[in-house]
């Protein structure tokens, strides 16, 4: 199957993990778009969604799915989103679509994070995909220097990218992230960092992995 077909497969499988009557957390990206399309088939069985991006909100509303603000809910049973990389423990790199801060906020509301991805995203050690770091613009150069000094990563500003929060994205190459939780906790505290795209604190509970043999379910 093509990568697009694998994304469709896991998007459809994810609908089975949405409880009846739920408000569901919805992420961002091409794989999530397949989930949103599938979610429309059960829209009468759910109360609505909390979205992590303007793009996902627009897609949900176009399909007639009510969208609530994160401030309107105290918790969500499930958050469904993709990943740029995921390791064997359920830690992820996210932020290729520049929505990492809002994704982390919605993920933090959820009891379970269900990652939907194709098998190319499963890695032994994260870091081949450039790590996104959302920064306040005036801090970009300062944060880039510190990433180089402390982790040996080469950070470049993502050209033409302004996030939904009005911030910039640094993409960090040359990393081998052997302790995701420690790096997430460290970089998150640096002045000027809004969010680092390591999801270790909010790691996946389940990964629905699209493979040539069908959907493989990984539980962490």
């Amino acid at each position: 199957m093509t990568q697009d077909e694998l994304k469709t497969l896991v998007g459809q499988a994810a609908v089975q993990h949405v409880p009846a009557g739920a408000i569901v957390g919805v992420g961002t990206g091409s794989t999530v778009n397949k989930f949103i399309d599938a979610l429309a088939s059960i829209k009468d069985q759910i109360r609505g969604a909390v979205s992590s991006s303007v793009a996902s909100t627009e897609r949900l509303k176009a399909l007639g799915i009510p969208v609530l603000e994160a401030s309107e809910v105290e918790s969500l049973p499930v958050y469904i989103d993709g990943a740029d990389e995921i390791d064997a423990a359920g830690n992820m790199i996210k932020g290729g679509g520049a929505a990492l801060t809002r994704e982390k906020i919605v993920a933090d509301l959820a009891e379970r994070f269900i990652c939907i991805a194709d098998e190319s995203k499963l890695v032994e050690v994260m870091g081949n995909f450039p790590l996104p770091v959302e920064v306040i613009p005036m801090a970009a150069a300062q944060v880039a220097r510190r990433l180089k000094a402390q982790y040996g990563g080469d950070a470049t500003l993502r050209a033409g990218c302004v996030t939904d929060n009005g911030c910039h994205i640094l993409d960090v190459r040359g990393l081998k992230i052997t302790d995701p939780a420690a790096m997430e906790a460290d970089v998150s505290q640096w002045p000027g960092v809004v969010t680092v795209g390591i999801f270790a604190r909010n790691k996946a509970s389940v990964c629905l992995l699209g493979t040539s043999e069908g959907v493989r379910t990984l539980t962490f």
Side-chain angles (χ1 to χ4, degrees), residues 104-128:
K104 198 169 278 193
I105 289 168
V106 182
D108 205 52
L109 286 170
E111 296 171 17
R112 301 172 74 223
F113 189 130
I114 296 179
C115 175
I116 52 177
D118 66 80
E119 59 187 342
S120 69
K121 306 299 173 62
L122 182 64
V123 299
E124 290 186 11
V125 179
M126 297 190 302
N128 284 335

PDB file of all heavy atoms in Angstrom, residues 104-128:
ATOM      1  N   LYS A 104       0.471  19.719  22.506  1.00  0.00           N
ATOM      2  CA  LYS A 104       0.858  19.302  23.856  1.00  0.00           C
ATOM      3  C   LYS A 104      -0.180  19.739  24.880  1.00  0.00           C
ATOM      4  O   LYS A 104      -0.455  19.024  25.856  1.00  0.00           O
ATOM      5  CB  LYS A 104       2.247  19.852  24.192  1.00  0.00           C
ATOM      6  CG  LYS A 104       2.911  19.136  25.352  1.00  0.00           C
ATOM      7  CD  LYS A 104       4.394  19.511  25.502  1.00  0.00           C
ATOM      8  CE  LYS A 104       5.291  18.750  24.573  1.00  0.00           C
ATOM      9  NZ  LYS A 104       6.734  18.882  24.917  1.00  0.00           N
ATOM     10  N   ILE A 105      -0.778  20.905  24.678  1.00  0.00           N
ATOM     11  CA  ILE A 105      -1.828  21.389  25.589  1.00  0.00           C
ATOM     12  C   ILE A 105      -3.023  20.444  25.563  1.00  0.00           C
ATOM     13  O   ILE A 105      -3.540  20.035  26.614  1.00  0.00           O
ATOM     14  CB  ILE A 105      -2.260  22.818  25.209  1.00  0.00           C
ATOM     15  CG1 ILE A 105      -1.143  23.815  25.546  1.00  0.00           C
ATOM     16  CG2 ILE A 105      -3.548  23.220  25.947  1.00  0.00           C
ATOM     17  CD1 ILE A 105      -1.360  25.199  24.946  1.00  0.00           C
ATOM     18  N   VAL A 106      -3.478  20.080  24.358  1.00  0.00           N
ATOM     19  CA  VAL A 106      -4.643  19.193  24.264  1.00  0.00           C
ATOM     20  C   VAL A 106      -4.286  17.790  24.758  1.00  0.00           C
ATOM     21  O   VAL A 106      -5.072  17.150  25.455  1.00  0.00           O
ATOM     22  CB  VAL A 106      -5.199  19.156  22.825  1.00  0.00           C
ATOM     23  CG1 VAL A 106      -6.452  18.267  22.753  1.00  0.00           C
ATOM     24  CG2 VAL A 106      -5.554  20.570  22.351  1.00  0.00           C
ATOM     25  N   ALA A 107      -3.096  17.323  24.441  1.00  0.00           N
ATOM     26  CA  ALA A 107      -2.668  16.004  24.917  1.00  0.00           C
ATOM     27  C   ALA A 107      -2.659  15.943  26.441  1.00  0.00           C
ATOM     28  O   ALA A 107      -2.976  14.905  27.034  1.00  0.00           O
ATOM     29  CB  ALA A 107      -1.277  15.672  24.372  1.00  0.00           C
ATOM     30  N   ASP A 108      -2.326  17.059  27.074  1.00  0.00           N
ATOM     31  CA  ASP A 108      -2.252  17.086  28.532  1.00  0.00           C
ATOM     32  C   ASP A 108      -3.635  16.998  29.180  1.00  0.00           C
ATOM     33  O   ASP A 108      -3.747  16.647  30.353  1.00  0.00           O
ATOM     34  CB  ASP A 108      -1.539  18.358  28.995  1.00  0.00           C
ATOM     35  CG  ASP A 108      -0.898  18.194  30.362  1.00  0.00           C
ATOM     36  OD1 ASP A 108      -0.145  17.224  30.552  1.00  0.00           O
ATOM     37  OD2 ASP A 108      -1.175  19.022  31.257  1.00  0.00           O
ATOM     38  N   LEU A 109      -4.677  17.305  28.421  1.00  0.00           N
ATOM     39  CA  LEU A 109      -6.048  17.175  28.922  1.00  0.00           C
ATOM     40  C   LEU A 109      -6.546  15.736  28.863  1.00  0.00           C
ATOM     41  O   LEU A 109      -7.546  15.399  29.487  1.00  0.00           O
ATOM     42  CB  LEU A 109      -7.000  18.049  28.095  1.00  0.00           C
ATOM     43  CG  LEU A 109      -6.972  19.557  28.306  1.00  0.00           C
ATOM     44  CD1 LEU A 109      -7.794  20.242  27.218  1.00  0.00           C
ATOM     45  CD2 LEU A 109      -7.519  19.920  29.681  1.00  0.00           C
ATOM     46  N   ALA A 110      -5.868  14.906  28.090  1.00  0.00           N
ATOM     47  CA  ALA A 110      -6.400  13.588  27.759  1.00  0.00           C
ATOM     48  C   ALA A 110      -5.909  12.487  28.692  1.00  0.00           C
ATOM     49  O   ALA A 110      -4.769  12.505  29.156  1.00  0.00           O
ATOM     50  CB  ALA A 110      -6.039  13.230  26.323  1.00  0.00           C
ATOM     51  N   GLU A 111      -6.794  11.530  28.928  1.00  0.00           N
ATOM     52  CA  GLU A 111      -6.432  10.362  29.728  1.00  0.00           C
ATOM     53  C   GLU A 111      -5.528   9.422  28.935  1.00  0.00           C
ATOM     54  O   GLU A 111      -4.666   8.748  29.502  1.00  0.00           O
ATOM     55  CB  GLU A 111      -7.701   9.625  30.164  1.00  0.00           C
ATOM     56  CG  GLU A 111      -8.596  10.441  31.098  1.00  0.00           C
ATOM     57  CD  GLU A 111      -9.941   9.779  31.327  1.00  0.00           C
ATOM     58  OE1 GLU A 111     -10.069   8.566  31.043  1.00  0.00           O
ATOM     59  OE2 GLU A 111     -10.869  10.472  31.785  1.00  0.00           O
ATOM     60  N   ARG A 112      -5.728   9.360  27.615  1.00  0.00           N
ATOM     61  CA  ARG A 112      -4.933   8.468  26.759  1.00  0.00           C
ATOM     62  C   ARG A 112      -4.549   9.193  25.488  1.00  0.00           C
ATOM     63  O   ARG A 112      -5.343   9.940  24.922  1.00  0.00           O
ATOM     64  CB  ARG A 112      -5.728   7.207  26.388  1.00  0.00           C
ATOM     65  CG  ARG A 112      -6.201   6.378  27.552  1.00  0.00           C
ATOM     66  CD  ARG A 112      -7.132   5.272  27.091  1.00  0.00           C
ATOM     67  NE  ARG A 112      -6.412   4.192  26.407  1.00  0.00           N
ATOM     68  CZ  ARG A 112      -6.827   3.587  25.296  1.00  0.00           C
ATOM     69  NH1 ARG A 112      -7.942   3.966  24.718  1.00  0.00           N
ATOM     70  NH2 ARG A 112      -6.129   2.616  24.757  1.00  0.00           N
ATOM     71  N   PHE A 113      -3.312   8.992  25.049  1.00  0.00           N
ATOM     72  CA  PHE A 113      -2.825   9.509  23.769  1.00  0.00           C
ATOM     73  C   PHE A 113      -2.734   8.320  22.820  1.00  0.00           C
ATOM     74  O   PHE A 113      -2.002   7.371  23.076  1.00  0.00           O
ATOM     75  CB  PHE A 113      -1.447  10.155  23.953  1.00  0.00           C
ATOM     76  CG  PHE A 113      -0.926  10.905  22.745  1.00  0.00           C
ATOM     77  CD1 PHE A 113      -0.446  12.195  22.872  1.00  0.00           C
ATOM     78  CD2 PHE A 113      -0.902  10.322  21.483  1.00  0.00           C
ATOM     79  CE1 PHE A 113       0.040  12.898  21.772  1.00  0.00           C
ATOM     80  CE2 PHE A 113      -0.422  11.010  20.368  1.00  0.00           C
ATOM     81  CZ  PHE A 113       0.049  12.300  20.520  1.00  0.00           C
ATOM     82  N   ILE A 114      -3.482   8.383  21.734  1.00  0.00           N
ATOM     83  CA  ILE A 114      -3.396   7.343  20.718  1.00  0.00           C
ATOM     84  C   ILE A 114      -2.689   7.927  19.501  1.00  0.00           C
ATOM     85  O   ILE A 114      -3.178   8.863  18.871  1.00  0.00           O
ATOM     86  CB  ILE A 114      -4.784   6.795  20.352  1.00  0.00           C
ATOM     87  CG1 ILE A 114      -5.388   6.118  21.580  1.00  0.00           C
ATOM     88  CG2 ILE A 114      -4.687   5.813  19.180  1.00  0.00           C
ATOM     89  CD1 ILE A 114      -6.764   5.546  21.362  1.00  0.00           C
ATOM     90  N   CYS A 115      -1.536   7.393  19.216  1.00  0.00           N
ATOM     91  CA  CYS A 115      -0.731   7.848  18.079  1.00  0.00           C
ATOM     92  C   CYS A 115      -1.125   7.044  16.849  1.00  0.00           C
ATOM     93  O   CYS A 115      -1.235   5.814  16.908  1.00  0.00           O
ATOM     94  CB  CYS A 115       0.751   7.655  18.384  1.00  0.00           C
ATOM     95  SG  CYS A 115       1.841   8.052  16.991  1.00  0.00           S
ATOM     96  N   ILE A 116      -1.353   7.748  15.740  1.00  0.00           N
ATOM     97  CA  ILE A 116      -1.639   7.087  14.473  1.00  0.00           C
ATOM     98  C   ILE A 116      -0.517   7.436  13.492  1.00  0.00           C
ATOM     99  O   ILE A 116      -0.202   8.598  13.287  1.00  0.00           O
ATOM    100  CB  ILE A 116      -3.027   7.462  13.922  1.00  0.00           C
ATOM    101  CG1 ILE A 116      -3.235   8.982  13.847  1.00  0.00           C
ATOM    102  CG2 ILE A 116      -4.119   6.829  14.773  1.00  0.00           C
ATOM    103  CD1 ILE A 116      -4.567   9.398  13.233  1.00  0.00           C
ATOM    104  N   ALA A 117       0.096   6.407  12.931  1.00  0.00           N
ATOM    105  CA  ALA A 117       1.280   6.643  12.094  1.00  0.00           C
ATOM    106  C   ALA A 117       1.498   5.472  11.148  1.00  0.00           C
ATOM    107  O   ALA A 117       0.978   4.373  11.375  1.00  0.00           O
ATOM    108  CB  ALA A 117       2.509   6.816  12.981  1.00  0.00           C
ATOM    109  N   ASP A 118       2.266   5.697  10.103  1.00  0.00           N
ATOM    110  CA  ASP A 118       2.687   4.582   9.264  1.00  0.00           C
ATOM    111  C   ASP A 118       4.003   4.033   9.800  1.00  0.00           C
ATOM    112  O   ASP A 118       4.690   4.684  10.597  1.00  0.00           O
ATOM    113  CB  ASP A 118       2.800   5.008   7.799  1.00  0.00           C
ATOM    114  CG  ASP A 118       3.906   6.022   7.574  1.00  0.00           C
ATOM    115  OD1 ASP A 118       5.078   5.597   7.490  1.00  0.00           O
ATOM    116  OD2 ASP A 118       3.620   7.223   7.484  1.00  0.00           O
ATOM    117  N   GLU A 119       4.356   2.839   9.384  1.00  0.00           N
ATOM    118  CA  GLU A 119       5.478   2.125   9.991  1.00  0.00           C
ATOM    119  C   GLU A 119       6.829   2.814   9.815  1.00  0.00           C
ATOM    120  O   GLU A 119       7.765   2.532  10.558  1.00  0.00           O
ATOM    121  CB  GLU A 119       5.546   0.700   9.463  1.00  0.00           C
ATOM    122  CG  GLU A 119       5.715   0.583   7.966  1.00  0.00           C
ATOM    123  CD  GLU A 119       5.595  -0.854   7.481  1.00  0.00           C
ATOM    124  OE1 GLU A 119       5.729  -1.783   8.301  1.00  0.00           O
ATOM    125  OE2 GLU A 119       5.357  -1.057   6.276  1.00  0.00           O
ATOM    126  N   SER A 120       6.929   3.751   8.887  1.00  0.00           N
ATOM    127  CA  SER A 120       8.197   4.469   8.703  1.00  0.00           C
ATOM    128  C   SER A 120       8.520   5.366   9.896  1.00  0.00           C
ATOM    129  O   SER A 120       9.670   5.778  10.071  1.00  0.00           O
ATOM    130  CB  SER A 120       8.148   5.320   7.430  1.00  0.00           C
ATOM    131  OG  SER A 120       7.247   6.401   7.566  1.00  0.00           O
ATOM    132  N   LYS A 121       7.534   5.666  10.734  1.00  0.00           N
ATOM    133  CA  LYS A 121       7.738   6.583  11.858  1.00  0.00           C
ATOM    134  C   LYS A 121       8.294   5.887  13.100  1.00  0.00           C
ATOM    135  O   LYS A 121       8.721   6.554  14.047  1.00  0.00           O
ATOM    136  CB  LYS A 121       6.414   7.279  12.215  1.00  0.00           C
ATOM    137  CG  LYS A 121       5.747   7.992  11.039  1.00  0.00           C
ATOM    138  CD  LYS A 121       6.611   9.088  10.466  1.00  0.00           C
ATOM    139  CE  LYS A 121       6.027   9.687   9.195  1.00  0.00           C
ATOM    140  NZ  LYS A 121       4.727  10.326   9.379  1.00  0.00           N
ATOM    141  N   LEU A 122       8.277   4.550  13.115  1.00  0.00           N
ATOM    142  CA  LEU A 122       8.782   3.805  14.271  1.00  0.00           C
ATOM    143  C   LEU A 122      10.290   3.687  14.189  1.00  0.00           C
ATOM    144  O   LEU A 122      10.831   3.162  13.210  1.00  0.00           O
ATOM    145  CB  LEU A 122       8.136   2.417  14.318  1.00  0.00           C
ATOM    146  CG  LEU A 122       8.513   1.524  15.494  1.00  0.00           C
ATOM    147  CD1 LEU A 122       8.050   2.133  16.819  1.00  0.00           C
ATOM    148  CD2 LEU A 122       7.892   0.124  15.314  1.00  0.00           C
ATOM    149  N   VAL A 123      10.997   4.193  15.226  1.00  0.00           N
ATOM    150  CA  VAL A 123      12.458   4.220  15.225  1.00  0.00           C
ATOM    151  C   VAL A 123      13.010   3.659  16.531  1.00  0.00           C
ATOM    152  O   VAL A 123      12.311   3.610  17.542  1.00  0.00           O
ATOM    153  CB  VAL A 123      12.990   5.658  15.021  1.00  0.00           C
ATOM    154  CG1 VAL A 123      12.518   6.222  13.680  1.00  0.00           C
ATOM    155  CG2 VAL A 123      12.551   6.574  16.160  1.00  0.00           C
ATOM    156  N   GLU A 124      14.272   3.255  16.502  1.00  0.00           N
ATOM    157  CA  GLU A 124      14.927   2.778  17.727  1.00  0.00           C
ATOM    158  C   GLU A 124      15.341   3.945  18.607  1.00  0.00           C
ATOM    159  O   GLU A 124      15.135   3.925  19.829  1.00  0.00           O
ATOM    160  CB  GLU A 124      16.139   1.915  17.374  1.00  0.00           C
ATOM    161  CG  GLU A 124      15.788   0.572  16.750  1.00  0.00           C
ATOM    162  CD  GLU A 124      17.008  -0.304  16.565  1.00  0.00           C
ATOM    163  OE1 GLU A 124      18.090   0.024  17.103  1.00  0.00           O
ATOM    164  OE2 GLU A 124      16.892  -1.334  15.868  1.00  0.00           O
ATOM    165  N   VAL A 125      15.952   4.964  17.997  1.00  0.00           N
ATOM    166  CA  VAL A 125      16.382   6.167  18.717  1.00  0.00           C
ATOM    167  C   VAL A 125      15.902   7.378  17.930  1.00  0.00           C
ATOM    168  O   VAL A 125      16.142   7.485  16.734  1.00  0.00           O
ATOM    169  CB  VAL A 125      17.923   6.223  18.886  1.00  0.00           C
ATOM    170  CG1 VAL A 125      18.325   7.498  19.614  1.00  0.00           C
ATOM    171  CG2 VAL A 125      18.415   4.993  19.642  1.00  0.00           C
ATOM    172  N   MET A 126      15.227   8.299  18.608  1.00  0.00           N
ATOM    173  CA  MET A 126      14.703   9.474  17.922  1.00  0.00           C
ATOM    174  C   MET A 126      15.808  10.485  17.630  1.00  0.00           C
ATOM    175  O   MET A 126      16.793  10.564  18.344  1.00  0.00           O
ATOM    176  CB  MET A 126      13.620  10.130  18.777  1.00  0.00           C
ATOM    177  CG  MET A 126      12.399   9.249  19.018  1.00  0.00           C
ATOM    178  SD  MET A 126      11.013  10.126  19.770  1.00  0.00           S
ATOM    179  CE  MET A 126      11.754  10.727  21.293  1.00  0.00           C
ATOM    180  N   GLY A 127      15.610  11.235  16.568  1.00  0.00           N
ATOM    181  CA  GLY A 127      16.545  12.288  16.227  1.00  0.00           C
ATOM    182  C   GLY A 127      16.856  12.418  14.750  1.00  0.00           C
ATOM    183  O   GLY A 127      17.366  13.448  14.313  1.00  0.00           O
ATOM    184  N   ASN A 128      16.548  11.378  13.976  1.00  0.00           N
ATOM    185  CA  ASN A 128      16.749  11.512  12.534  1.00  0.00           C
ATOM    186  C   ASN A 128      15.822  12.577  11.962  1.00  0.00           C
ATOM    187  O   ASN A 128      16.214  13.339  11.077  1.00  0.00           O
ATOM    188  CB  ASN A 128      16.525  10.173  11.827  1.00  0.00           C
ATOM    189  CG  ASN A 128      17.686   9.213  12.018  1.00  0.00           C
ATOM    190  OD1 ASN A 128      18.818   9.642  12.256  1.00  0.00           O
ATOM    191  ND2 ASN A 128      17.414   7.930  11.928  1.00  0.00           N
TER     192      ASN A 128
END
